[in-house]
Amino acid sequence: PRGPRTGHRVPRVPRGPPVPPVPPLPGHDRLPGPKAAGAVGSPEAGGAAALAGPAANAVHLEVDRRFYQEKSEKLSTENDQLRDELYLVKAMLRKMEEKLEDYQLSLRHTEVDGAALSSPISPR
């Protein structure tokens, strides 16, 4: 996609194949289980213990992937907006510089005209 006013190509992060699960760190490969069956977090209740091992890593990685994807999209949108604002500010600056040059030229002409009127006219 292109920015609305700038015409610059906006790079997008490519979406590749899903990332394979990362093996757990030593000592972190199992979540502690509940003491009683059916308690919150038990496999029967569908809690965190049901996601032990590689499945838990895959879920966490998916959560991270979604978070960073949303963050990337948000920053890309913000970047587009900032580019557009920069374009507008630069256009306004160019316009103001042109006006300043016109005023300077007009002032020089006024100075020349004023100097010509105040100089004494020599008799012939």
Side-chain angles (χ1 to χ4, degrees), residues 27-43:
H28 293 94
D29 57 347
R30 280 179 257 129
L31 297 172
K35 305 226 187 278
V40 174
S42 70

Side-chain angles (χ1 to χ4, degrees), residues 89-106:
V89 168
K90 284 185 173 183
M92 186 173 24
L93 179 62
R94 282 190 297 271
K95 195 173 186 179
M96 293 174 74
E97 286 173 341
E98 288 174 6
K99 280 187 175 183
L100 180 60
E101 288 174 356
D102 290 344
Y103 286 135
Q104 288 173 337
L105 180 61
S106 176

Side-chain angles (χ1 to χ4, degrees), residues 48-102:
L51 300 176
N57 285 336
V59 171
H60 285 287
L61 288 173
E62 179 61 18
V63 169
D64 288 347
R65 185 196 69 79
R66 286 183 185 163
F67 170 79
Y68 288 112
Q69 182 66 38
E70 289 171 6
K71 187 174 183 177
S72 172
E73 290 170 1
K74 177 184 169 194
L75 291 173
S76 180
T77 300
E78 184 179 345
N79 197 11
D80 290 344
Q81 291 170 346
L82 290 172
R83 275 194 192 109
D84 290 343
E85 288 178 28
L86 178 63
Y87 175 80
L88 293 173
V89 168
K90 284 185 173 183
M92 186 173 24
L93 179 62
R94 282 190 297 271
K95 195 173 186 179
M96 293 174 74
E97 286 173 341
E98 288 174 6
K99 280 187 175 183
L100 180 60
E101 288 174 356
D102 290 344

